[in-house]
Amino acid sequence: MEKNPVSLLEHPEQSLRKKSIYDMTYEQMEDWAVSKGWKKFRIQQIYNWLYKSRVDSFEEMTNLSKETRKALSEEFEFTPLELVRQQIAKDGTRKFLFRTEDGALLESVMMVFDYGNSVCVSSQVGCNMGCAFCASGLTKKSRNLKASEMVAQFMAIQKELDRSNERVSHIVVMGTGEPFDNYENVMNFLKTVNHDRGLAIGSRHITISTCGVVPKIYEFADGHYQYNLAVSLHAPNNRLRDSLMPINKAYPLEELMKAIDYYTKENNRRLTFEYILLNGVNNSVEDAKELARLLRPYNCYVNLIPYNSVDEHGFRPVNREEAMKFYDVLKKEKIAVTIRKEHGSDIDAACGQLRIKEIRKGRK
C-alpha cells in the first residue's frame, strides 16, 4: 500500500537521514572532498567503486583508508529504493516496481532493442499532466524524485544485468512524471549517468521526453546539451490536443512549436515527436495529413506508438493495418517516421500500470 509522505515534524528522526551518495554529481563530490581536505583523485576512486564496480557499501571500497570510509559512511548512505516486484516479459522487457524511503511507489522499465538495452526512468511520484490516455496520471503528483532516486532506478537494473554480463546502453526519461517539471533533479541525474567516471552513457544515447512545458524547452535549448529531446504531441491541432493533453491549454501548439523552432535553431539537432495512435480518435488519414503540415518545417521524425490499453480510460489501440495507413501518409508527405515495436505486451506494459495495480491491491 502506498503511504502518505512522512512529515518531518511528526517524525523528527527522519530529518537526520543521511544523504544518498547517488545524489552527488562528480563536481559536487569534488567540492565535498576539497572541503574535507582530500585530494581530488579520491573522488575518482569513489566514483569508480560506485559506478564501475557497483559496490553496495563503503566497506567494499578497499583501496580507501578506514578513515575515508568512515567519513563517507557518517555522511552518506546508498540506495534510497527497495525493489518490490519485477516482471519479465517473453520479449525480454523487464518492469521494476520500487518503494521509496517515504513509502511511495514508482516504476522503471528495461526494453531490449537490436541496438542494446534501454531503460525508461520515472522522474516523479505520480503525475499532474493528466493526459487522458495515460496510466501515470491516474494518481496526482505527490512529489518530485531526487536525483538519487533516479540514479538508483538505473543502478538496480544495471545490477540485474550484471548477472548476465550485459549493460544498459540507452536511457529515456519518459516514465511516470513530467521531467521538465523536475528539471534540476533530472539534469543532475543525467550528469551522473553521462559522466565518463560515472556510468558513461553517451549523450546521444540519452533522451528526455516532455509533453510541452514551454519555458523549460527554452531553458534546455539554452543549455546546448547533446541529449536527445522528444516531445509528446499525440494530436495535430489544438482542439484535439486540448481534449487529450490538458497542458495544451496552458501552452497551445502555437507556443509549443515556437519553442521547438528556437530549440532546433539553437542546437541544430533533430528531435522526436511521440504520437500514440488511438483508434477513432487521432488516427485518421486527415489527422496524418494535418500532422505532416504541422511538422514539415522542422528537422524531426515521428515515432508512432502502439497504445497499451488502460482500463480506466476506454481508448482502444489501432491494428497493424490502420497504423500502416497513418505511417504511409506521413511517408508520402516526406515526414521521417517509425512505428515503435511493442514491448512487454504480456505484462503490465502501459507506463504506470504496475504501480497503480500495486496501490489498488494495498487498498483492499
Side-chain angles (χ1 to χ4, degrees):
M1 179 176 180
E2 187 172 35
K3 306 171 187 174
N4 291 325
V6 177
S7 167
L8 298 186
L9 294 177
E10 294 174 2
H11 301 273
E13 71 277 5
Q14 292 293 323
S15 64
L16 301 177
R17 290 205 74 96
K18 300 172 187 174
K19 186 183 184 75
S20 170
I21 191 74
Y22 292 149
D23 251 326
M24 303 289 277
T25 66
Y26 192 86
E27 292 75 17
Q28 289 169 342
M29 281 295 293
E30 273 193 333
D31 291 343
W32 181 81
V34 169
S35 75
K36 294 285 185 182
W38 297 357
K39 300 293 186 183
K40 287 188 177 181
F41 78 87
R42 192 69 69 206
I43 302 310
Q44 296 177 17
Q45 293 176 308
I46 294 169
Y47 249 59
N48 188 68
W49 282 114
L50 287 174
Y51 299 115
K52 300 297 191 294
S53 300
R54 293 189 274 280
V55 299
D56 294 312
S57 72
F58 297 114
E59 284 306 306
E60 295 175 73
M61 299 180 177
T62 51
N63 64 345
L64 302 182
S65 68
K66 288 184 178 180
E67 291 76 14
T68 301
R69 283 178 275 167
K70 184 173 183 290
L72 286 167
S73 64
E74 286 176 347
E75 193 138 352
F76 301 106
E77 60 184 4
F78 268 74
T79 181
L81 301 180
E82 169 199 354
L83 179 61
V84 176
R85 181 170 293 111
Q86 180 183 171
Q87 292 181 335
I88 303 178
K90 293 176 183 177
D91 63 7
T93 300
R94 300 189 188 195
K95 214 159 197 198
F96 297 80
L97 183 69
F98 298 103
R99 181 175 286 111
T100 66
E101 291 175 332
D102 60 4
L105 294 170
L106 59 98
E107 64 180 48
S108 314
V109 61
M110 189 208 76
M111 295 163 286
V112 180
F113 293 93
D114 293 339
Y115 55 74
N117 298 315
S118 180
V119 166
C120 181
V121 173
S122 291
S123 58
Q124 295 178 319
V125 179
C127 183
N128 278 346
M129 297 299 109
C131 297
F133 45 80
C134 183
S136 296
L138 289 173
T139 59
K140 293 296 184 183
K141 167 189 160 184
S142 60
R143 67 174 176 86
N144 290 324
L145 291 180
K146 295 177 287 188
S148 58
E149 292 169 317
M150 287 177 266
V151 173
Q153 292 173 60
F154 181 99
M155 293 297 290
I157 296 171
Q158 181 55 64
K159 287 176 182 180
E160 285 290 321
L161 290 180
D162 285 341
R163 299 170 189 240
S164 53
N165 294 315
E166 296 180 81
R167 70 181 294 267
V168 176
S169 60
H170 292 69
I171 293 175
V172 292
V173 189
M174 55 177 68
T176 299
E178 165 54 56
F180 279 0
D181 190 35
N182 186 18
Y183 191 82
E184 184 177 350
N185 285 322
V186 167
M187 300 313 290
N188 280 340
F189 156 65
L190 294 181
K191 282 181 183 178
T192 295
V193 296
N194 178 236
H195 200 286
D196 288 343
R197 298 190 184 278
L199 291 156
I201 305 294
S203 297
R204 300 300 176 93
H205 291 179
I206 295 172
T207 301
I208 307 174
S209 176
T210 179
C211 64
V213 183
V214 165
K216 291 301 179 181
I217 293 175
Y218 283 106
E219 185 174 347
F220 185 74
D222 288 337
H224 298 102
Y225 300 103
Q226 294 301 301
Y227 311 134
N228 301 308
L229 179 63
V231 177
S232 296
L233 195 61
H234 309 314
N237 58 61
N238 282 321
R239 176 192 55 79
L240 183 53
R241 200 164 189 263
D242 280 349
S243 68
L244 294 175
M245 303 179 70
I247 194 169
N248 198 68
K249 296 173 184 177
Y251 305 113
L253 280 174
E254 294 80 10
E255 291 186 33
L256 175 60
M257 303 315 290
K258 185 177 178 182
I260 293 303
D261 189 53
Y262 181 81
Y263 169 81
T264 54
K265 287 177 179 176
E266 281 291 310
N267 292 271
N268 194 28
R269 298 287 310 280
R270 186 168 78 159
L271 75 158
T272 302
F273 287 100
E274 308 279 356
Y275 196 99
I276 290 179
L277 291 168
L278 303 170
N279 198 332
V281 177
N282 66 350
N283 69 309
S284 70
V285 169
E286 184 50 47
D287 289 329
K289 289 180 178 178
E290 191 173 4
L291 181 64
R293 290 193 293 271
L294 177 68
L295 300 185
R296 192 171 290 118
Y298 301 98
N299 179 21
C300 67
Y301 80 93
V302 176
N303 187 18
L304 298 176
I305 304 173
Y307 180 60
N308 290 309
S309 297
V310 178
D311 292 341
E312 292 83 354
H313 294 319
F315 293 107
R316 294 180 297 113
V318 301
N319 59 35
R320 181 71 181 177
E321 182 182 353
E322 291 165 331
M324 287 307 300
K325 283 181 183 177
F326 201 95
Y327 173 93
D328 288 341
V329 171
L330 293 179
K331 273 289 189 183
K332 288 175 183 175
E333 296 289 340
K334 304 294 190 293
I335 301 295
V337 58
T338 58
I339 300 178
R340 191 171 80 180
K341 178 183 175 184
E342 291 188 67
H343 292 272
S345 58
D346 55 326
I347 59 175
D348 295 301
C351 182
Q353 206 165 35
L354 178 58
R355 173 177 173 266
I356 292 296
K357 183 180 286 187
E358 185 72 15
I359 291 172
R360 288 178 176 161
K361 185 176 74 173
R363 288 173 181 166
K364 291 179 180 178

